[in-house]
Amino acid sequence: MIDLAVFDMAGTTIDDGGAVYRALSASVSAAGATVDDDDLQTWMGTDKVEAITALLRLGGVTPTDELVRSTFAAFTRELAAAYEAEPPTPFPGVVEALGELRSRGIRVALSTGFDRDVATSLLRSLGWTVGPSPDDTVDAVVTTSDVAAGRPAPYLIHHAMELTGVRSVARVLAAGDTLVDLEAARNAGAISVGVLTGALSEEALSAGPYDLILPGVAAVPSLDVCAAPAP
């Protein structure tokens, strides 16, 4: 049985209608870069400052510190406007799955390529809470503001272990909808699970280092590694 499940946010537990994808594309394009869809998908799930820096360079624009800062600010404005116009919602069955896992004694954490401010705003809009109480939605949230580097580095997952008191990476499951989610899980030493609620097809997601590919987070409690302990 696992001790901790770590889930990505947008595209994995939260349906934002592709708002992150569009906001990232729009902000980088506004900075003068040509945005290739494949490059954009490659950098989805990573730290957004790192993503913007890479996409500017790939799009033919020199990513100066000032330009990266202004483009990131534009991204956060675009995303906030998109979320206000069309509020994100949990994917079907996700809230129930998180609650079921926690009821079995499995700690649940969210990890994200967002910084703390964006993640907090998103959680607030959903009414999700963080803490040890059974009434809370999850036990912990880890953002790129909390670690030295985002995905595919393993630090988001390892910091989630620190926050929840879990010591063995072999008893951690990490799930996400992008290739870098799978890479981060593998780099962390966790069970690497891909979910098909994001933009990638099963064939595309299968190109990453995975242990399992599921239709969505709602299917996680049915896994053998998540079985409830015997009475």
Side-chain angles (χ1 to χ4, degrees):
M1 181 175 172
I2 60 168
D3 295 325
L4 170 65
V6 183
F7 299 112
D8 173 52
M9 292 178 66
T12 299
T13 52
I14 300 166
D15 183 2
D16 73 346
V20 175
Y21 190 97
R22 294 192 300 274
L24 194 55
S25 178
S27 60
V28 174
S29 295
T34 301
V35 181
D36 180 85
D37 285 343
D38 289 340
D39 290 336
L40 189 60
Q41 187 57 58
T42 296
W43 286 92
M44 286 292 291
T46 64
D47 173 82
K48 295 306 177 282
V49 172
E50 291 182 9
I52 287 167
T53 302
L55 290 169
L56 287 171
R57 184 179 291 112
L58 289 166
V61 174
T62 300
T64 64
D65 290 346
E66 181 179 353
L67 182 59
V68 170
R69 281 195 298 271
S70 64
T71 304
F72 179 74
F75 163 74
T76 57
R77 289 193 300 271
E78 289 271 355
L79 189 61
Y83 283 172
E84 183 175 357
E86 192 172 342
T89 58
F91 282 110
V94 164
V95 172
E96 293 81 1
L98 303 183
E100 178 62 27
L101 292 172
R102 296 183 82 225
S103 75
R104 297 176 188 176
I106 298 171
R107 296 173 181 84
V108 174
L110 299 176
S111 68
T112 180
F114 296 143
D115 66 8
R116 175 61 59 177
D117 289 343
V118 173
T120 299
S121 177
L122 179 53
L123 292 172
R124 187 181 301 116
S125 74
L126 292 164
W128 287 8
T129 59
V130 183
S133 167
D135 294 329
D136 289 315
T137 312
V138 296
D139 296 280
V141 175
V142 186
T143 77
T144 56
S145 300
D146 306 317
V147 293
R151 305 180 189 112
Y155 308 136
L156 291 169
I157 296 169
H158 288 166
H159 191 49
M161 293 175 64
E162 290 181 312
L163 293 175
T164 55
V166 172
R167 296 186 177 186
S168 172
V169 292
R171 296 177 67 87
V172 177
L173 178 150
D177 64 296
T178 69
L179 294 175
V180 292
D181 289 316
L182 299 181
E183 291 166 7
R186 182 55 49 85
N187 290 339
I191 299 168
S192 179
V193 177
V195 294
L196 299 174
T197 44
L200 294 182
S201 66
E202 183 170 2
E203 180 181 5
L205 200 56
S206 296
Y210 70 93
D211 294 298
L212 296 164
I213 293 182
L214 302 175
V217 167
V220 171
S222 66
L223 297 176
D224 289 344
V225 293
C226 300

